[in-house]
Amino acid sequence: MRHLLALALKYLLTTTVMFAILPLFLRISSAELLWFSLWVTLIAYALGDLYVLPRLGNVSATIADFGFVFVATWIGIGAFYDVAGGAIVSAAFFSALLAALGELLFHGYVLRFVVGQHGEEGAPLIGRQWQTEAAEEFDVRTARPDSREDERAGEDRQNQEPPNPPVL
């Protein structure tokens, strides 16, 4: 059920983009736009949203969706219409750009409600490339006591409780 709602939302997004951009450059019928949007939606959902998005993240999936919509529009629509090359490339570029902007928001929905990656334990929220390293020490001063201090002061410091983090 989650996938059906996500497919319906993606189809609505794709159809809206195609109806907004393609008639500006081409004389294309509404039925052709609906069928083309359906095929683009099914393939882009399978490749971009279910395969690339959980593995590589939002930005990579958006770039993949941009490239797929661009190539699909350029080749898929351009093969059936005998128009100048600049018109079909412009239509493909602007439809892919508008679709990519919508996909940025749609990917957040897919990650949260369809894939459910943010609710799982151990799943990174922003990706592994931004993960930082954490130290074991709570206080830097306890790691290296001064040579002037006696050993008892160093032992007292190491036995103390860790400081409380600041409340924001």
Side-chain angles (χ1 to χ4, degrees):
M1 191 62 161
R2 297 173 303 174
H3 292 289
L4 289 177
L5 182 60
L7 274 169
L9 289 173
K10 188 169 181 84
Y11 180 69
L12 183 67
L13 171 72
T14 306
T15 304
T16 304
V17 167
M18 295 301 167
F19 269 100
I21 300 296
L22 290 182
L24 296 175
F25 297 95
L26 306 168
R27 296 187 62 150
I28 188 167
S29 70
S30 298
E32 290 171 335
L33 280 177
L34 290 173
W35 278 109
F36 180 71
S37 297
L38 178 68
W39 288 109
V40 167
T41 299
L42 292 175
I43 295 170
Y45 184 73
L47 292 177
D49 298 331
L50 295 180
Y51 185 74
V52 175
L53 181 62
R55 288 168 177 76
L56 299 176
N58 192 3
V59 175
S60 299
T62 303
I63 292 170
D65 283 334
F66 175 84
F68 174 71
V69 171
F70 178 76
V71 170
T73 306
W74 184 21
I75 294 174
I77 298 292
F80 296 107
Y81 290 93
D82 188 27
V83 294
I88 193 66
V89 171
S90 297
F93 176 76
F94 287 118
S95 62
L97 184 66
L98 195 59
L101 291 176
E103 290 288 333
L104 281 172
L105 299 174
F106 180 71
H107 289 158
Y109 171 79
V110 170
L111 280 176
R112 186 166 182 178
F113 294 110
V114 177
V115 178
Q117 190 177 28
H118 290 300
E120 294 177 5
E121 187 66 30
L125 289 176
I126 55 175
R128 292 188 178 131
Q129 69 271 18
W130 300 110
Q131 186 175 0
T132 59
E133 188 174 323
E136 294 179 10
E137 297 85 16
F138 289 110
D139 190 9
V140 178
R141 291 172 283 172
T142 61
R144 272 195 245 174
D146 287 341
S147 60
R148 296 179 196 152
E149 294 180 5
D150 60 345
E151 293 177 6
R152 267 189 323 167
E155 290 174 9
D156 289 340
R157 259 193 236 136
Q158 290 193 4
N159 292 333
Q160 73 180 8
E161 292 292 321
N164 293 331
V167 178
L168 299 176

